[in-house]
Structure formats: structure tokens, C-alpha cells
Amino acid sequence: MPDLHLSGIQVLFPGLDAPALHIPELTLPAGGRLAVAGPSGSGKSTLVNVIAGLERPSRGRVLWGGTDIAALSESARDRWRGANIGLVMQDFHLFPGLSALENVLLPARLARVADRAMADRAGELLAEVGLTRPGQKVETLSRGEMQRVAVARALLRQPGVIVADEPTASLDPANAAALGALLDGLAQRTGATLIVVSHDPGLIARLPRRIALAGGLIRDDTERAA
Amino acid sequence: MLRFILADLGRLKAGSFVVVLLIALAVALGTGVTLQERALRLGSARAADRFDLVIGAPGSETQLVLSTVFLQPAALPLVPGEVLAGLQDDPRVAWAAPVGFGDFHRGHPVVGTTTRLIAETAPGFAGGRMFAAEGEAVIGARVDLALGDGITPTHGEIGHDHDEVRYRVVGRLEPTGTPWDRAILVPIQAVWHVHGMEAGHGEEAHDHAEEDHDHDHGHAGFDPDAPLAEDWHDGETPDVPAILVKPASIADAYRLRQDYRVEEGTLAIFPAEVLTNLYGTLGDARQVLAAVAAAAQGLVAAALLLVTITHVGQRRRQIGALRALGAPRGAIFALVWSELFALIACGVALGLVLGWLAARLLSRMIADRQGFDLPVELAAADFAGLGLLLAAAALLAALPAWMAYRQSPVASLRGQA
């Protein structure tokens, strides 16, 4: 599992004078569990996009272990992200017409890395997140079940890092609590680094470290004693 | 990947169906035009195959071909009987037979000719035998009559009946795939007698096909039991609309044509040559139709491009999510391209089938009406054309695929440009 080290990060958007994100220094050891909080427009999503290699910062380095992903080409970042990052998004982004199992396997298949063992693992992961019918079409699942499928998909390639952007925002409180517990539990069990962007106090409270952003800057960085 | 494409197309059934149908119709138009034009060419060439040289009176070469090869009713000027007698004795001629028309029976042309012409041009008898007396008739394969049936000809297609004239069907020919399959063949001498024609008294510009024909001819000369005389002598042979000539050799064919072209009062043609000129005109028409079909295909391609580019735009978020989840850009390109190309390929295949079916249907309708087969055949050039079309489609599909390839995953997820 790689450590994360951000240095001199600036993200500028055209037409805006102030950077949308400005982080001189941020370090997260491998296996760390971090909550990113802050009001809307504070730069939370931009931060996770930079961390996940979805967005290249205007300046600075994004070091995962020894690799500066900000310096990689777009295709190389795609490959790196596919192999190292498990992504869970607010809107699930499941593909209708396919079963839960097919959805879990889809990115790996498109990256041509899915094999028999991975298909077996997909089935096991679905069972682990509490899905009993892997052959069910995703459009017939409840929202809570959909997000569980998305979590299983994120974990398929055994990523060293799980990045979740508002994973509970479109769930009811009971499902949100269950999903928070699931994510945290899976990260701890696998030893993966977990980075969660959330407004959900319950989910934030689960994680030992919390940074608060405002206006693209880190205003607060607290770590609870273990 | 295939599952994903199928699931995606499954969700967009109605749209996919319309796209496939549009492409299919545009392709069918082009295919149909090409196939039908070729069928017309092949069919007419086969119909003219046995007509080496035709001699008629001066007039339109095309009309002479249409009247003799395709049995289209028209008023043909007559050739003097001496020409027929002369040809019969010409050493350069293997055989020569008069063709006399103008009468009909239930829409079928009644053609006067000789036993030699039938023996030389028909593949054989499906039933019965050759006519042997003036009142006997042999029918083509597409004539809906039975052996033993009686025929009273009408002068012209809807003219007056030759009431006292009655032929009896004694033979049915094997099909030839030419308009002659619709003909009722009778002895030329019967046609002369029915129309009261004698040597030297041929009617000038005999208006055989005209509806309102009111000339005074008795049928006194017609004797159904009279034996056939198929030897012609100068001064004893009535005039005829056309003479079909089988030259002894190719060189003789050219010499004969030359002689009878120069001679006043006759016109000599090679039907194949006249048809070749007609094909030239037909080819021009085909080019115009092909251009129209190509324009239709171009319009459909443009519409398709618009639809797919809009579609890719609408699916920006989905494409972005796939990229974010680790699908490589190449896979995104392949997905969009394959999906679009699959639709186009389906449309092209369906269009090919539709075009072929339409050409077959049209050919059958023409065959039923005109009596000659129009063979609808696919040629290697058609597949080359389709290959070209598919290559163009592959390029066309690459444009939206390229746009999807170029989309930044994070911008796509945000729903921004």
C-alpha cells in the first residue's frame, strides 16, 4: 500500500482568480482513513479528483508511493487508477440492463484484466456486501443495494486506496449508516487507505482523521487518538 | 463488452430500430437500382440471344427490335416478299423465317412464322407437336391454354375478331425465358390468308396494332386444313413485317447486314447491337438513379452523425464514470464505435436483403406482364460497393467514438464540457 504525499498543489479554473484548491502539503500514510469535510464549493471533490488522478492539478505533485501521478499521461493515469483506486460515487453509476455481477466486473472487463478468479471474487464480494442475488438486474435494486454493488465494484481489483465521494448522500439514514460501516470495515479488513468526502456526520465520525476545507484551503486537520 | 453493447442497444430499442431502418432503406434504394438495371440488361440480352440478324422495312431500328424480340405491338412497315424469297436462296443464309404479327388472343400476341424458326429457337416441346396445317397453333410456355383449345384471334389488342378464323392448339413449347413464351405461334401462311394478303398486294404500313382498324379483308383464303407451304418464290410471296435470319457464318452476318442496309426498301440490324445502344441510355438513367441513391445515403449518414453526436453528448456522465472506474480510453472508443458500427452493419445487411427482394419482386411483376425473365443476380462489384460503404461507415462511426475518447472523465462526471 503506498503513502500519499501532496505538495504544492494548486488547481486553477479558467475565469477564477483564486485557486479552487491550494494545498501546500498533505500526507496520509498507507492504510490511513481520512474524512474530507467542508461546505459545498470548498474544493472537496476537486481534492479527491486530484488524489484519484481524475484531474491533473495546475501545479504541484501527487505522489503515491514513488509515483507522481500528476506527471503521468492521461492513459497512464487511467491504467494506474484502474489498478490502484477503488472509486465509489454519490450517483452509483451502475449500468442498467446488466446484472449486479456484470456491473461489478464491467470496468475490469473493459480494462481486459477480468479472469475466472476475478469473476469468482466478484461473486464473493457481492455476498460480502450483503447482495443475495448477483444475477439481478441493477435497475430493479433498491438504492441501498445499488450503492453496495458500487462498493463491491470498487473493491474488485483489490485496490490499495478506496476513494468515496459522498457515498451516503443519496441514501436514507439507516442505509447510510450501514454503508458507512461496510466501507470502514472493508478498508480496515483489507488494509486499504480510505478517503471519504462526506457531509454525513455519522460517517465522518467513524474515521480517525478529518480535514475540513473552506475556499479551497485546509482549515482544519484533526486526528483522533487511536 | 458485447454484453454491455447489447444491453445498451436493448435499452434504446426504438431508436436503434429507426436508425437501422433508415440505413436499410437508403441502402435498399441503391442496391435495388443496381440489381434491377443489371437484371434488365441480362434479361433483354438473353431474349435477343437467338436473334442474330433481323431484316425489316426502313424505319426505327429500336422499334424493329422491340417488335421482333420483345413482341411489343407496333405498326411496322412491310418488307416485300421477294426479300424473303431472295434470302431463302442466299448461300450466306443458314435459314430465314418471316415473322408476322398484329393479331392477339386474350392479350397474347399471335405470331405467324415457320416450323423452321420454332425448331431452331425453342428448346423443345413440353407437350404436343409442331403445327402441320394452316389452322394449327403452337403456344409458348406462359400461355394459359391447353392442347386442343380453339383460338379466335382479334385484330389488334382490342380490335375486331376474325370470326371465321379458328386455330387449334397442337403443341406447347418449353420455356425460353423470353417474351416469346407469351406468344401463340401459327403458320405465317395463315396470317397472310387471314389478312387477305397476296403477293405484291401487301398493305403499306400495315397498322396491325391500331385499335380502330377497319379495312376490308375477307378470310376467304384461310383453310384450317390446308397443308403448309414454306418455300417462297419471287412474285408469289406476300409482304412481311420482319424476317429473322440465321447467317451461315459471322462474316456472312456482316455481309448480309451491309447488303440489306444499302438496298432500298430494307433495314438490317443486329438486335444485340441495338440493345447495346439502348443499354447506353439505360446506363445513363442508372447513373442518375445511383446518384439519387447515393445522395439519400449521404443524407442518412449526416442524420446519423447528428443523432450519435447528440447521443454521445447525452451520455457524457456515463462515459465519464466508466473512465473514472478505470476503463481505458481505447475501450471507450471501441465501445462507442462498435455500437454504432453494429447498427450501421445491421442496416446495410437489411438494406441488401430489402433491395434484393424489391428487385426480385419487380422482376417477377415484369416477367408476368412482359413474359421475359429478369434475372436478379448479385455480382462481385456489389460486394465491393458494400465493402466501400462499410468502410465509410467505419470512418463515420469513428467520429463520435473519437469525441468520447477525448472526453475528460472528471468533466464528464460534472456534466460540463
Side-chain angles (χ1 to χ4, degrees):
Chain A
M1 305 292 159
D3 294 332
L4 169 67
H5 182 210
L6 301 184
S7 73
I9 294 295
Q10 272 199 23
V11 178
L12 301 161
F13 287 140
L16 290 181
D17 292 337
L21 189 70
H22 182 201
I23 298 179
E25 204 72 29
L26 178 70
T27 308
L28 181 67
R33 291 176 292 130
L34 169 71
V36 182
S40 294
S42 60
K44 302 189 298 294
S45 288
T46 305
L47 175 61
V48 291
N49 287 340
V50 165
I51 286 172
L54 285 167
E55 192 158 344
R56 196 201 290 263
S58 313
R59 286 195 200 102
R61 307 203 314 153
V62 183
L63 285 160
W64 278 105
T67 312
D68 179 7
I69 63 166
L72 296 178
S73 72
E74 191 149 349
S75 300
R77 268 186 290 139
D78 280 352
R79 272 198 303 280
W80 177 87
R81 186 169 57 248
N84 293 285
I85 303 259
L87 201 60
V88 180
M89 292 168 278
Q90 179 179 345
D91 293 334
F92 321 145
H93 286 293
L94 299 177
F95 297 93
L98 298 179
S99 70
L101 186 70
E102 285 166 336
N103 262 285
V104 171
L105 282 166
L106 182 64
R109 281 186 171 154
L110 288 177
R112 297 183 174 280
V113 293
D115 55 13
R116 184 71 238 164
M118 205 172 268
D120 291 343
R121 181 170 155 73
E124 289 161 15
L125 277 169
L126 281 172
E128 195 171 349
V129 299
L131 257 280
T132 49
R133 293 184 302 277
Q136 193 174 346
K137 292 268 188 289
V138 287
E139 59 269 32
T140 64
L141 297 175
S142 72
R143 294 185 71 77
E145 286 172 321
M146 286 185 187
Q147 194 59 303
R148 285 160 188 270
V149 173
V151 169
R153 178 177 62 190
L155 292 173
L156 181 68
R157 292 176 69 181
Q158 297 173 292
V161 184
I162 300 169
V163 174
D165 190 358
E166 301 281 7
T168 58
S170 52
L171 301 179
D172 60 65
N175 269 313
L179 192 98
L182 178 69
L183 264 180
D184 192 27
L186 283 168
Q188 290 195 54
R189 186 176 66 68
T190 58
T193 304
L194 177 64
I195 300 168
V196 177
V197 171
S198 187
H199 283 101
D200 178 350
L203 181 53
I204 294 169
R206 279 188 167 279
L207 306 181
R209 186 170 169 198
R210 171 181 178 275
I211 58 174
L213 291 178
L217 299 168
I218 297 177
R219 297 285 182 204
D220 191 26
D221 184 347
T222 53
E223 183 138 20
R224 200 174 57 212
Chain B
M1 183 130 107
L2 190 66
R3 273 291 291 129
F4 182 67
I5 291 173
L6 289 178
D8 210 39
L9 291 177
R11 281 195 311 125
L12 308 162
K13 271 195 207 83
S16 308
F17 177 74
V18 171
V19 164
V20 167
L21 200 66
L22 262 181
I23 298 167
L25 288 177
V27 170
L29 185 64
T31 313
V33 165
T34 308
L35 289 180
Q36 198 57 50
E37 189 265 348
R38 185 181 304 137
L40 207 57
R41 222 176 253 253
L42 276 174
S44 55
R46 284 183 195 175
D49 200 28
R50 286 165 190 274
F51 291 71
D52 290 349
L53 178 66
V54 176
I55 294 174
S60 157
E61 295 190 354
T62 308
Q63 190 55 57
L64 193 56
V65 172
L66 289 177
S67 294
T68 53
V69 177
F70 299 99
L71 295 178
Q72 294 292 315
L76 281 187
L78 301 181
V79 191
E82 302 87 74
V83 176
L84 179 58
L87 281 166
Q88 183 184 247
D89 299 330
D90 196 320
R92 297 170 300 181
V93 174
W95 54 268
V99 188
F101 20 71
D103 287 348
F104 288 85
H105 176 71
R106 289 193 208 152
H108 292 289
V110 175
V111 181
T113 187
T114 63
T115 53
R116 181 72 190 263
L117 182 137
I118 296 172
E120 296 283 354
T121 60
F125 280 82
R129 58 170 174 80
M130 183 73 82
F131 52 65
E134 201 170 306
E136 292 182 343
V138 168
I139 55 176
R142 284 176 190 263
V143 178
D144 192 20
L145 287 171
L147 296 184
D149 281 357
I151 298 167
T152 297
T154 313
H155 194 75
E157 269 185 295
I158 42 175
H160 64 80
D161 283 356
H162 293 293
D163 287 331
E164 300 107 71
V165 179
R166 198 161 176 79
Y167 297 108
R168 199 168 58 82
V169 177
V170 297
R172 174 189 288 279
L173 295 170
E174 296 274 8
T176 59
T178 73
W180 282 61
D181 284 348
R182 290 188 68 251
I184 296 166
L185 307 175
V186 299
I188 185 75
Q189 105 186 28
V191 173
W192 284 330
H193 289 158
V194 166
H195 295 93
M197 292 165 73
E198 290 167 27
H201 293 89
E203 302 143 322
E204 286 296 315
H206 198 86
D207 298 341
H208 289 295
E210 284 189 9
E211 295 164 22
D212 193 18
H213 193 75
D214 190 24
H215 64 171
D216 174 30
H217 56 227
H219 310 130
F222 180 75
D223 171 9
D225 299 321
L228 299 184
E230 295 190 340
D231 257 342
W232 295 291
H233 305 288
D234 253 3
E236 298 171 12
T237 311
D239 300 349
V240 290
I243 303 164
L244 180 57
V245 179
K246 178 77 184 175
S249 70
I250 293 176
D252 290 335
Y254 281 94
R255 274 184 223 116
L256 282 165
R257 183 177 68 149
Q258 181 63 22
D259 289 356
Y260 283 89
R261 260 186 173 174
V262 175
E263 195 171 310
E264 265 187 46
T266 57
L267 171 71
I269 55 157
F270 296 143
E273 198 179 83
V274 175
L275 280 176
T276 306
N277 291 337
L278 272 179
Y279 295 156
T281 317
L282 208 61
D284 292 345
R286 190 191 72 92
Q287 276 182 349
V288 170
L289 287 173
V292 170
Q297 284 167 7
L299 278 177
V300 168
L304 193 64
L305 203 58
L306 181 73
V307 167
T308 45
I309 287 174
T310 313
H311 184 62
V312 165
Q314 284 168 347
R315 300 181 71 182
R316 199 182 281 282
R317 278 172 61 77
Q318 194 187 48
I319 291 165
L322 278 173
R323 283 282 305 283
L325 293 167
R329 292 209 284 181
I332 301 291
F333 181 93
L335 265 182
V336 175
W337 185 87
S338 319
E339 205 166 309
L340 189 53
F341 189 73
L343 284 181
I344 298 176
C346 278
V348 168
L350 186 66
L352 183 63
V353 173
L354 280 180
W356 186 78
L357 282 177
R360 283 287 298 251
L361 194 72
L362 210 60
S363 277
R364 183 165 299 172
M365 281 164 58
I366 293 175
D368 284 346
R369 225 178 32 220
Q370 306 291 344
F372 70 105
D373 293 338
L374 295 180
V376 176
E377 291 170 9
L378 286 166
D382 297 333
F383 292 104
L386 282 179
L388 217 64
L389 197 64
L390 285 176
L395 276 179
L396 183 81
L399 187 62
W402 175 247
M403 288 174 62
Y405 177 92
R406 297 262 303 163
Q407 274 178 18
S408 138
V410 67
S412 309
L413 279 174
R414 282 198 207 111
Q416 296 165 353

